[in-house]
Amino acid sequence: MACQNEAEEKALIEFRNQLTELSLLENLEKSDDHFLLRWLRARNLDVKNAIEMIKNYLEWKNNNEEYKMAHSEYWAPSELIVDELKYKFTGLDHAGRPVLWMPIARYDVKGLLKKGLKPDCFGYCYKIMDHLMLEIEKQILACGATQFVSIIDSAELTLEKITHIETIQCLLRFMKEFDAYYPELIHSCYIVNAPWIFSTIFNMAKSILSKTTLRKINIFDSNEEKWKKVLLENLPESALPIEYGGTASPVLSCYKKTSE
């Protein structure tokens, strides 16, 4: 059962009916209960606000050239972008949620932007979200899990990266889009190895992300003993790569170079 209580059942029926009357439901890529509940929960079951959120999503999707490019049958990300923007699903948490690892501080976004690949970077990010949605859909069928867990490694975040304006603008844009157009997907986020300069980004993010999302973010510095303890308390060893205190396959070996 997708709904957790009677209030959700009532709101979902009203939400679906109004979306149908407004001819919005037919424009959504999905219309199952799990999908619609994400928007309702993001707006605390306020149907009117959830409908506005859907309208904004459809407008964004229809006017976003990078999104349309990414979902064109003629487009594929270049090897350069795939090789640079690495990520991996490392396993499942105790409730069956996919665990996504991303070493974002190692990404040489500045280098990609200098090569004129900004549209492709966003296109690839949307492809990653598609992959994430597929992994979640598998778990919805398997055990009813509707969210994911993220481990973001901030090691190698340098002052040069944090002061490159276009890189920061791209990061903040995607964070805003994730919060607004992929609601209620994230269950928890663990940011590890965050240097002192990370606070600069996070302070900017506070004005973009919802309070609900912000409450799910856990930030740790380079004290491995501390963050490994927390990760192992919340995630099974099988979902954690060896470098993060678990037994899953190592992930950092995929980076044979250090971004300059």
Side-chain angles (χ1 to χ4, degrees), residues 29-208:
E29 64 270 26
K30 295 175 66 65
S31 59
D32 59 86
D33 290 352
H34 291 287
F35 180 82
L36 296 183
L37 279 168
R38 283 172 40 210
W39 305 87
L40 278 172
R41 289 168 179 163
R43 289 298 178 263
N44 297 314
L45 304 187
D46 186 313
V47 173
K48 181 179 179 181
N49 286 339
I51 287 176
E52 287 304 309
M53 198 177 188
I54 287 285
K55 288 180 178 178
N56 291 336
Y57 166 67
L58 290 172
E59 181 179 3
W60 168 79
K61 189 173 71 168
N62 292 332
N63 294 312
N64 186 323
E65 294 302 321
E66 292 99 338
Y67 184 92
K68 289 189 284 187
M69 175 190 72
H71 294 90
S72 165
E73 60 180 306
Y74 304 106
W75 183 83
S78 68
E79 289 186 12
L80 182 63
I81 287 181
V82 174
D83 185 60
E84 187 62 49
L85 306 183
K86 291 183 172 67
Y87 70 97
K88 185 176 182 179
F89 290 98
T90 60
L92 305 172
D93 77 353
H94 295 292
R97 304 180 190 94
V99 177
L100 173 65
W101 168 79
M102 302 185 80
I104 61 170
R106 290 178 167 84
Y107 296 166
D108 183 16
V109 178
K110 179 180 178 180
L112 295 175
L113 294 176
K114 283 186 173 181
K115 290 180 172 67
L117 295 173
K118 180 178 178 180
D120 298 81
C121 287
F122 275 99
Y124 188 55
C125 286
Y126 301 140
K127 282 295 189 183
I128 293 175
M129 293 307 302
D130 289 345
H131 187 183
L132 173 61
M133 295 298 294
L134 287 174
E135 293 298 318
I136 290 176
E137 286 175 12
K138 291 178 186 177
Q139 295 312 114
I140 289 176
L141 295 174
C143 61
T146 61
Q147 296 177 306
F148 77 104
V149 175
S150 179
I151 299 174
I152 296 178
D153 195 335
S154 295
E156 298 188 25
L157 182 63
T158 64
L159 188 61
E160 181 182 0
K161 291 177 179 177
I162 204 72
T163 55
H164 185 244
I165 295 176
E166 192 174 7
T167 295
I168 299 304
Q169 288 175 336
C170 288
L171 176 61
L172 293 175
R173 172 187 156 181
F174 186 74
M175 290 171 67
K176 183 177 180 179
E177 291 178 344
F178 173 80
D179 204 44
Y181 308 127
Y182 299 91
E184 288 300 303
L185 280 184
I186 194 163
H187 175 265
S188 53
C189 175
Y190 300 94
I191 300 174
V192 302
N193 293 320
W196 64 271
I197 54 175
F198 180 82
S199 60
T200 303
I201 295 178
F202 193 66
N203 286 334
M204 288 186 281
K206 286 180 180 178
S207 64
I208 292 176

